[in-house]
Amino acid sequence: MRYLTAGESHGPQLTAIIEGVPAGIAVSLDEINQELARRQGGYGRGGRMKIEKDQVQITSGIRHGKTLGAPITMVVENRDWKNWQTVMSVEEVAEKDAQLRKVTKPRPGHADLVGGMKYQHRDLRNILERSSARETTMRVAVGGLAKQILKALDIEIASHVVNLGGIEAKIPEVISVKEIQQAAAASEVNMVDPSIEEAVKAKIDETKKAGNTIGGVVEVRLENVPAGLGSYVQWDRKLDGKIAQSIVSINAFKGVEFGVGFQAANLPGSEVMDEITWKEAEGYRRKTNHLGGFEGGMTNGEQIVVRGVMKPIPTLYKPLMSVDIDTKEPYKASVERSDSTAVPAAAIVAENVVATVIATEILEQFHSDNIADLINNVEEMRKQHLMF
């Protein structure tokens, strides 16, 4: 399975084309739209989320509610397009219109300046329109489809925020995906620790009032993922490496860890490795899950635990200093519509991105033209590992 996304933040629409999805998968548009709504929610979101109410349209690859095995095209319209038709016109426009909403003052921390240098654009809007986190809308839509593939294989996934603006959630050492789903859904900040909810919201309010932004750490967990996905035989086949790449590809994400992650640097090996047990009814298990479900770049059958750190959003309503690329004079950076934090929403993006990576890996390892064969192949692998 592979996919491409296209579209600009203020263009007419966003598009994704997904190829390699087996035939016969029952697809719910409501479930995909629910993922899109989750991405737009969360305390601290800005004005754009009040304009856009994302709804996916599927224009190919699905008939009568089931996949055909053909490429699937997804489209999400930008409702704000009506206000940007001249600025973002595909056709050539008059010079005075070409100057509308022109950006020459790059924002520190954004792709603006380097992108302009790379592609030789003197209007940095040509950069920010595509580099915007609006692109993650389609990655969430693709993830919404991927999650339905995982659901057919009895694989569960959930996400939540573990740190927002330096306020850390207390998380039980053992917590199920179902518990995370329920607790995070009841929280405006997508956290499983209700004791800090008001403190986190107050921090967001204070940050917004100051014209500033804050980041945080999100966590994604999966259960019932078969052991043996990924491989140790080549560096680019290690599944944790693929997941790590997908996490840091999300806008503003700067780091990733699995299990105890960076804490492993401070612990002896005896407190990092997970002892192995065996029981006839459940096969091989680990007494702990410090390694987050991976050994040697492969899933080991335990709960997958992956975290990503998101930096504060670079667009500030009290902007930092920059340089005008035309005059080379110092100026305050340009201001585009933004949020004080998008960490709760970013957890949803991470969840759907990881779901897509896992679904892609399964379809690569168990090449199947239809969902019935895929289910049988995965179940056969699970039985073999139980008997090993």
Side-chain angles (χ1 to χ4, degrees), residues 40 47-53 79-80 82 337:
Q40 291 189 287
R48 183 72 187 270
M49 297 305 105
K50 296 177 182 178
I51 297 171
E52 306 291 354
K53 298 297 180 185
R79 295 189 180 186
D80 204 20
K82 62 181 182 292
R337 192 162 39 209

Side-chain angles (χ1 to χ4, degrees), residues 43 57 103 113 117 123 132 141 229 244 329 341 348 364 388:
Y43 202 82
Q57 300 175 46
V103 177
L113 179 58
M117 294 164 63
D123 183 353
S132 164
L229 293 183
E329 293 293 320
T341 186
I348 309 305
E364 183 173 320
F388 181 78

Side-chain angles (χ1 to χ4, degrees), residues 5-249:
T5 70
E8 283 74 49
S9 180
H10 294 99
Q13 67 182 41
L14 303 168
T15 306
I17 298 178
I18 312 107
E19 183 183 44
V21 177
I25 300 173
V27 175
S28 166
L29 287 179
D30 287 343
E31 290 185 17
I32 296 174
N33 286 331
Q34 182 180 353
E35 294 303 313
L36 293 174
R38 294 175 68 212
R39 174 195 168 275
Q40 291 189 287
Y43 202 82
R45 298 309 304 272
R48 183 72 187 270
M49 297 305 105
K50 296 177 182 178
I51 297 171
E52 306 291 354
K53 298 297 180 185
D54 294 334
Q55 297 281 298
V56 71
Q57 300 175 46
I58 295 182
T59 60
S60 74
I62 295 177
R63 183 169 185 252
H64 298 165
K66 291 188 177 180
T67 56
L68 300 175
I72 296 169
T73 305
M74 294 181 174
V75 173
V76 173
E77 292 183 356
N78 285 328
R79 295 189 180 186
D80 204 20
W81 160 244
K82 62 181 182 292
N83 300 315
W84 290 78
Q85 292 186 49
T86 300
V87 176
M88 297 300 295
S89 172
V90 173
E91 301 292 334
E92 189 173 357
V93 297
E95 179 59 29
K96 65 179 181 60
D97 290 331
Q99 299 301 312
L100 294 173
R101 304 300 290 267
K102 183 178 180 180
V103 177
T104 62
K105 304 175 183 68
R107 298 162 297 173
H110 268 288
D112 301 352
L113 179 58
V114 179
M117 294 164 63
K118 178 178 176 64
Y119 292 101
Q120 290 295 291
H121 288 305
R122 302 305 302 183
D123 183 353
L124 301 182
R125 179 158 301 283
N126 292 336
I127 308 303
L128 65 89
E129 284 289 333
R130 179 58 184 169
S131 65
S132 164
R134 180 81 181 132
E135 184 269 344
T136 63
T137 302
M138 297 320 297
R139 285 203 266 175
V140 170
V142 173
L145 177 64
K147 288 179 69 173
Q148 293 181 55
I149 298 173
L150 299 183
K151 184 179 179 180
L153 302 172
D154 297 321
I155 297 172
E156 294 285 339
I157 185 170
S159 64
H160 63 118
V161 175
V162 298
N163 180 316
L164 213 169
I167 303 175
E168 292 197 24
K170 294 180 180 178
I171 305 165
E173 186 172 346
V174 177
I175 184 171
S176 70
V177 165
K178 186 66 68 178
E179 289 173 315
I180 293 172
Q181 289 172 343
Q182 293 172 348
S187 167
E188 287 188 83
V189 291
N190 205 7
M191 286 179 142
V192 300
D193 181 1
S195 69
I196 61 172
E197 180 103 1
E198 293 307 314
V200 169
K201 289 165 66 176
K203 177 80 171 182
I204 294 171
D205 291 341
E206 173 189 326
T207 302
K208 183 177 182 179
K209 187 176 180 180
N212 217 329
T213 58
I214 49 175
V217 178
V218 305
E219 181 178 85
V220 179
R221 298 198 185 205
L222 298 94
E223 286 175 349
N224 204 30
V225 178
L229 293 183
S231 178
Y232 60 89
V233 302
Q234 283 290 352
W235 65 269
D236 60 347
R237 292 183 61 189
K238 295 185 177 185
L239 182 54
D240 50 0
K242 294 179 182 181
I243 291 174
Q245 193 278 333
S246 74
I247 290 290
V248 296
S249 77

